[in-house]
């Protein structure tokens, strides 16, 4: 039996949680809508885990997540995950999702194509909906084919997904915004 622990911590988006075991993270919890709800969900998701002070390694993970949620650029891709119980398909999806850097996005179809299974966009979406490590496995960076948010199973749904992408300054559409435009007009000369 692996010893499991969990803790809650505050971030700029609200109170998040981590659950861990001897082999790495077993889960990440995004903020819930009411106080105590994140704690209750962690308890339900990981009944073997006990609330505990995080180890120095988990403290470092917490600080990295806080930094990313405050607009940092750490991709968190080297954080060890406990992969026990995951299907081979889901693991392939998560591996590709972890390669999407902050500020970048992909689509369900592009992830499926990268897996060599171009018809599996819905299955990719299902796998991302089962992701136990949101933020660390950045499922929020995967969009629908037209740049729409698609689903997001974390509390707050698509609104939370949009908020995370906004924090990362991610481009979610091919349509340029005012900030994307480059002005080619020379400034007027003083005279």
């Amino acid at each position: 039996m692996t010893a499991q622990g969990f803790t809650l911590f505050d971030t700029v988006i609200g109170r998040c949680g981590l659950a861990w075991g001897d082999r790495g993270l077993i889960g990440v919890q995004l903020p819930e809508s009411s106080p105590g709800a994140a704690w209750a969900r962690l308890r339900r998701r990981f009944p073997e885990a006990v609330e505990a002070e995080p180890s120095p390694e988990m403290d470092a993970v917490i600080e990295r997540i806080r930094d990313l949620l405050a607009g940092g650029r750490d991709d968190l891709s080297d954080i060890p995950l406990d992969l026990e119980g995951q299907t081979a398909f889901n693991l392939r999806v998560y591996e590709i999702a972890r390669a999407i850097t902050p500020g970048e996005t992909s689509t369900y179809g592009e992830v499926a194509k990268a897996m060599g299974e171009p018809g599996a966009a819905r299955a990719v979406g299902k796998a991302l909906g089962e992701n136990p490590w949101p933020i660390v496995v950045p499922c929020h960076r995967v969009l629908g084919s037209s740049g729409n948010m698609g689903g997001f199973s974390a509390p707050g749904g698509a609104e939370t997904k949009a908020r995370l992408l906004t924090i990362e300054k991610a481009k979610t559409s091919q349509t340029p915004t005012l900030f994307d435009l480059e002005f080619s007009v020379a400034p007027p000369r003083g005279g």
Side-chain angles (χ1 to χ4, degrees):
M1 176 70 89
T2 302
Q4 297 179 345
F6 77 91
T7 194
L8 295 168
F9 59 98
D10 293 318
T11 72
V12 297
I13 67 165
R15 186 151 253 217
C16 293
L18 285 185
W20 64 86
D22 293 336
R23 291 176 287 206
L25 284 184
I26 57 175
V28 175
Q29 178 64 46
L30 292 176
E32 293 278 348
S33 59
S34 64
W39 183 90
R41 187 179 294 246
L42 275 170
R43 294 293 301 135
R44 280 192 309 277
R45 286 177 63 199
F46 307 105
E48 302 297 319
V50 295
E51 192 166 12
E53 285 297 316
S55 67
E57 294 82 14
M58 288 300 117
D59 265 336
V61 170
I62 289 168
E63 287 309 311
R64 291 174 68 189
I65 290 172
R66 281 182 174 142
D67 181 63
L68 179 67
L69 293 174
R73 306 309 281 176
D74 186 345
D75 67 10
L76 310 177
S77 64
D78 62 332
I79 293 173
L81 306 176
D82 183 338
L83 305 175
E84 186 176 329
Q86 298 297 320
T87 68
F89 183 88
N90 285 14
L91 289 174
R92 289 173 39 219
V93 170
Y94 302 155
E95 179 181 359
I96 292 167
R98 282 189 99 178
I100 305 167
T101 58
E104 299 296 321
T105 60
S106 189
T107 67
Y108 300 107
E110 289 169 342
V111 172
K113 199 179 300 177
M115 295 173 62
E117 298 191 36
R122 285 182 188 253
V124 167
K126 181 180 181 302
L128 291 172
E130 296 169 355
N131 173 15
W133 312 281
I135 305 296
V136 176
V137 174
C139 50
H140 63 282
R141 296 182 191 141
V142 183
L143 307 173
S145 61
S146 62
N148 65 331
M149 289 295 124
F152 195 58
S153 59
E159 186 176 308
T160 299
K161 186 174 191 171
R163 185 172 182 200
L164 293 171
L165 291 170
T166 299
I167 289 168
E168 294 182 1
K169 297 177 182 68
K171 186 171 181 171
T172 59
S173 167
Q174 295 304 316
T175 306
T177 68
L178 224 53
F179 300 106
D180 296 324
L181 297 177
E182 291 195 29
F183 296 97
S184 59
V185 178
R189 291 192 170 153

